[in-house]
Amino acid sequence: MSASTKELSLALSFGEQMYPLNSILNSVVVLVIASLYIIYRKIRPHRIPASLPGPRRYPIVGMMPYMVKHWEDWPGETVRLTKKYGRTWGGPMPSLPGMGGAVFFVTDEASTHHILSKNFDNYEKGDAFRHLYEELLGQGIFSSDGDLWRVHRKIISNMFSRNLLRKTSKVVV
């Protein structure tokens, strides 16, 4: 078989034009690699310091396989991991809507007070979280940030004042 016959057999024709098959395959491979890279850049986990304890971390998926494996008893598993790793632990997660690229578990009272009360503006839920959970949670305290969150917090904190809780507990008892 001559070289020109071989070249013709590895070509595709679109109308009058002939295209070599290897250049089409190269183009497809380049497009697939570029697409995978763009997807990776969108979902890659945040970089978490190695000093933060937590379950084993994997490239791209972070600690998600561990969470999926223990999903049936995740509340009990978080208690076990808190006893194992201490009051603050976590790890990277894919940056999918609602996951944010990382997960942190904080059980220390001072740190929790810092996050929820003293320095709340530094810990935003973000647009992706609000968009994902807005239908379920509305625009209440669990899905809002900033000034709207402060308004909801003030309303709810008044509902849970010590005097009100004492009066309610007397009625319930």
Side-chain angles (χ1 to χ4, degrees), residues 23-41:
S23 68
I24 293 172
L25 288 176
N26 287 343
S27 299
V28 169
V29 167
V30 167
L31 284 173
V32 167
I33 290 172
S35 298
L36 290 174
Y37 179 73
I38 290 168
I39 291 169
Y40 167 74
R41 296 280 296 176

